[in-house]
Amino acid sequence: MKIGYVRVSTKEQNTARQEELMKSLGVDKIYIDRLSGKNTDRPALLEMLGFVREGDSVIVESISRFARNTKDLLELTEQLNNKRVQFISQKENIDTDTPAGKFMLTIFGAVAELEREYIRQRQREGIEIAKEKGKYKGRPAKQLDTFDEIYHQWKSGNITATMASKQMEISRSTFYRKVVEYEENNSAIDF
């Protein structure tokens, strides 16, 4: 059986191009994930891995649609190999039924991971340059207009920190950090 795996990073992205490729290749069943490929905890991927049987072929448009780092790529293809399932990547022309295909899979996986690391490095460098020029301030702080009132409710024991953080739609750790800042700035408050 020919099984296609399609992935885009977000729900807003379109899978049509990959789905058309799968149809043109005569794929019998398609699994689609609309999640980042940063890890292998993807519902359709896991379902597909549980579905495939000996003699099946898993076809992807490109390696990057299947896995974003060499470790995950090799682990996923090893799982398929253990089930005697062929892995085919159209873009890179890789077929794990051949020794050359297995070798190329490892090489392309390493290159894809290297490119991802280069992207992260360029992003970090760009942020540092922007910070030095005063153009990058990070994410703007959330406006907590009700903090004073909620703080006093919490301090008097009327609500818990969990309740306070939920009311302000922030995490508990952020709430506690804001409490410290608030108390440092308002040290004359009667407790």
Side-chain angles (χ1 to χ4, degrees):
M1 184 174 205
K2 287 185 177 179
I3 298 160
Y5 178 73
V6 169
R7 186 189 64 78
V8 290
S9 296
T10 67
K11 290 183 188 325
E12 293 79 30
Q13 289 178 322
N14 195 322
T15 60
R17 181 181 56 81
Q18 292 179 65
E19 289 183 72
E20 283 302 314
L21 172 65
M22 296 302 156
K23 287 177 187 171
S24 74
L25 296 171
V27 167
D28 302 302
K29 186 170 178 67
I30 299 175
Y31 289 88
I32 300 173
D33 272 318
R34 288 179 172 83
L35 292 167
S36 168
K38 67 181 176 183
N39 63 47
T40 59
D41 189 23
R42 294 173 255 148
L45 175 66
L46 297 173
E47 185 180 342
M48 182 209 54
L49 290 170
F51 177 81
V52 293
R53 301 289 179 258
E54 182 175 345
D56 289 346
S57 297
V58 170
I59 303 170
V60 297
E61 183 263 338
S62 71
I63 288 174
S64 66
R65 301 296 92 208
F66 195 57
R68 297 293 274 168
N69 63 61
T70 306
K71 179 180 172 280
D72 288 347
L73 177 64
L74 296 177
E75 285 177 4
L76 289 170
T77 55
E78 184 65 25
Q79 285 180 48
L80 295 175
N81 187 47
N82 290 341
K83 288 185 163 195
R84 299 178 195 257
V85 173
Q86 177 184 21
F87 174 78
I88 299 171
S89 175
Q90 282 299 120
K91 184 176 183 179
E92 294 87 3
N93 197 23
I94 292 174
D95 181 343
T96 59
D97 269 0
T98 67
K102 289 177 184 175
F103 172 73
M104 291 306 293
L105 180 71
T106 305
I107 299 299
F108 277 112
V111 170
E113 187 172 354
L114 178 64
E115 178 57 26
R116 188 173 170 148
E117 287 302 316
Y118 281 155
I119 290 168
R120 283 189 194 132
Q121 181 181 5
R122 287 191 301 264
Q123 183 181 32
R124 282 190 303 270
E125 290 168 354
I127 289 171
E128 286 304 312
I129 291 168
K131 282 180 178 179
E132 288 171 9
K133 293 181 178 182
K135 294 182 179 181
Y136 182 86
K137 309 273 191 247
R139 184 171 54 179
K142 185 170 185 168
Q143 293 299 315
L144 301 174
D145 300 328
T146 60
F147 183 82
D148 190 56
E149 175 189 336
I150 293 171
Y151 167 83
H152 287 293
Q153 289 178 18
W154 169 76
K155 198 67 173 176
S156 64
N158 294 331
I159 61 172
T160 65
T162 301
M163 293 167 66
S165 60
K166 282 183 182 176
Q167 286 180 23
M168 291 185 283
E169 298 178 346
I170 59 175
S171 69
R172 270 189 20 204
S173 61
T174 299
F175 173 71
Y176 285 123
R177 191 178 77 248
K178 293 292 183 186
V179 164
V180 169
E181 290 172 10
Y182 184 81
E183 289 176 350
E184 286 175 355
N185 293 333
N186 299 290
S187 58
I189 295 175
D190 287 330
F191 295 110

